[in-house]
Amino acid sequence: MHALDVLGDPVRRRILELLAEGERSSGEVSSVIRAEFGISQPAVSQHLRVLREAGFASVRAEGTRRLYAVEAAPLREVDRWLDRFRGFWEQRLDALGTELARGKRQRRLDQGRGGDSRNPTEEPKMGRTRHERDRRPDQPGPP
């Protein structure tokens, strides 16, 4: 089974989230998953088996208990695969970070001036319309 097929199931993703917090017994995992998803204990066991067989989780016996833990190697493989797409959201996040910093800087400047830098009686200025921005200088404006 491909890694994304394994991670495509919300129950398995939730189990991995639980295991990411630390090793857990199958009983602990089962009780949380059963409460959150309303599925049977055998269904939870099947999800744990899929995670184990796909290499996302390991299990060890401690007396009569079975303790599950996350295995990092398949997650690193998924991360490497996602790496080729990371630029699609990182550019947007970088742009958002720039805008947030610009807003913080403007608020500090406004506070240093004793409040809002705009004249309260002045009407807000409207920006150029999309048509005006996109128009080449040699084109006539709107009628």
Side-chain angles (χ1 to χ4, degrees):
M1 185 178 284
H2 188 274
L4 293 179
D5 293 328
V6 173
L7 297 176
D9 188 284
V11 173
R12 289 192 286 267
R13 287 194 309 268
R14 180 63 178 125
I15 291 171
L16 284 175
E17 289 171 359
L18 291 170
L19 298 178
E21 296 170 1
E23 193 175 56
R24 293 190 182 238
S25 71
S26 57
E28 289 177 88
V29 171
S30 183
S31 65
V32 171
I33 296 301
R34 290 172 61 198
E36 291 181 9
F37 290 91
I39 63 176
S40 68
Q41 185 277 326
V44 176
S45 292
Q46 283 293 98
H47 285 293
L48 285 167
R49 184 177 64 80
V50 169
L51 289 169
R52 194 177 63 247
E53 289 177 356
F56 283 88
S58 61
V59 64
R60 69 179 182 86
E62 186 177 87
T64 59
R65 298 179 351 149
R66 299 290 174 257
L67 298 173
Y68 285 83
V70 169
E71 288 296 322
L75 294 171
R76 281 193 293 271
E77 289 176 31
V78 170
D79 187 53
R80 279 193 299 275
W81 184 82
L82 285 171
D83 204 36
R84 71 182 84 180
F85 303 102
R86 199 161 272 119
F88 290 109
W89 65 80
E90 284 182 348
Q91 289 173 347
R92 291 183 182 135
L93 290 175
D94 290 345
L96 175 61
T98 300
E99 288 303 314
L100 290 172
R102 185 176 292 145
K104 286 179 185 177
R105 184 175 55 246
Q106 187 60 49
R107 281 192 298 280
R108 280 194 313 272
L109 290 171
D110 290 346
Q111 288 172 349
R113 292 184 193 125
D116 192 352
S117 62
R118 287 182 292 144
N119 181 344
T121 60
E122 181 183 332
E123 288 290 321
K125 295 179 182 161
M126 300 301 289
R128 295 186 311 164
T129 65
R130 182 178 61 80
H131 178 77
E132 292 169 330
R133 284 191 310 269
D134 294 344
R135 185 175 56 82
R136 291 192 332 246
D138 60 325
Q139 290 178 321

